[in-house]
Structure formats: C-alpha cells, structure tokens
Amino acid sequence: QQQVRQSPQSLTVWEGGTTVLTCSYEDSTFNYFPWYQQFPGEGPALLISILSVSDKKEDGRFTTFFNKREKKLSLHIIDSQPGDSATYFCAASFSYQGGRALIFGTGTTVSVSP
Amino acid sequence: AQTIHQWPVAEIKAVGSPLSLGCTIKGKSSPNLYWYWQATGGTLQQLFYSITVGQVESVVQLNLSASRPKDDQFILSTEKLLLSHSGFYLCAWSLGGNQDTQYFGPGTRLLVL
C-alpha cells in the first residue's frame, strides 16, 4: 500500500531539547526517503535524506535513521531552536511510469518554546 | 545557481472560471518537473510529472491538466474551477535517478469562491 504514516501530528519541545519524528510505510519498493521542512506560506525545503541502503545520515543538528526491516524512519533534531518551529514532512520515493513519484507523510507541526 | 519561479503568487477565482498556473526553472537543463497540491494544513499530493518537453504523466488528476511547452516551463490548468481546487500549488524540479531529490518552488495560493 502506497502511503506513509507520520507521527506525532504536532509536538512542542523546549529550546535546547531533542525533537523526534517518526514515519512508517508498507511498500517495499520505496527506496529513497527525504525529509522536508515547511514554514507557513512557503514551499517545502529539503532538510535531509537517506537511501534505503543506509541506516543513518547526519547533517549538523539533524539525523535521520532508517530501519529497513521494520519499514520505519525517524528524524532527530538535537538542540532544538525557536527557528526550527515549522511543519516537517517525511516522504518516500519510488519509480512510477518511467519517472519517480513522491509520497508524503501527513506532517508534524513542531513548536519550539524558548 | 538554479532558480524556480511560480506565477502568480496568489489568485482568487470564481467557481467555473478557467485557471492557468506557471512554473519556470532557470539554471538547469532538462530537469524533471512536478506539480503538487496541498490543502490548507494538509500534506502534499503529487499531481503530474514531466521528464521531457511535451510529455506529461498524471499521478492524480483532480480535474486539472498539465503541459510542458518548453524545457524550463511547466503549466497547470483547468477550464472550469471547482471549490475543491482551493489550496497551495507547488512546482518542483529534480535531476532524476534513484536519489531523485525534488526541490520546490515558492508556491501559488489559490482560493476558489
């Protein structure tokens, strides 16, 4: 089934704390998983991404973990800052009729309180 | 550096009226192009993609159509708007391949009354 489940729907974290978002999927053909950050009124911006051959990717304060056996991925944001307050989407990429399609999760709205 | 431009920034249209939204990519040759729709407070849904001029594939139509008249241009249109067309329309580009990272434009906000 081509859908991506994301949780939680929203969360609040204190400045300096760690934010953890999770996603799960069922379709084994998904092989590339980007995470996007979206601010109100703007287009989503790529935050970090991981291929299904890897289990971890780190970029500064952002780390994504991938568990192929359990079909789960997560995003960890350490030392969360008020500027990280945004909606975060996980996504899964797969081949579709000669091109690539991207299925997005339902999104998590993160609020970082100072 | 590549830039992606969407026009108009926002539109208010009447039900039953026509619509044309545009997207232009500069700085990349022969990109893959995509249209997405996002309901207010919702997730993104891929509508169309194109890997070359004149070729467009539909993922979810929603009574919309898309065309790629030039290598750097992608158009989304309909002859008759529905209330359900309201939302945020996003254009994206990628270079293809397995790690097909898509980069999004600033979007067009559409309100249908």
Side-chain angles (χ1 to χ4, degrees), chain B residues 8-47:
Chain B
V9 172
E11 279 260 54
I12 300 175
K13 303 277 281 185
V15 170
S17 62
L19 174 76
S20 181
L21 304 180
C23 172
T24 299
I25 316 296
K26 296 299 183 186
K28 285 295 177 186
S29 179
S30 302
N32 292 345
L33 297 176
Y34 308 85
W35 277 113
Y36 286 82
W37 174 76
Q38 184 178 29
T40 301
T43 189
L44 289 87
Q45 186 169 31
Q46 189 169 334
L47 301 176

Side-chain angles (χ1 to χ4, degrees), chain A residues 20-42:
Chain A
V20 181
L21 315 179
T22 61
C23 289
S24 64
Y25 65 97
E26 295 177 5
D27 194 325
S28 298
T29 63
F30 294 164
N31 59 1
Y32 172 61
F33 303 88
W35 286 89
Y36 286 89
Q37 179 189 55
Q38 186 177 31
F39 295 105
E42 298 182 8

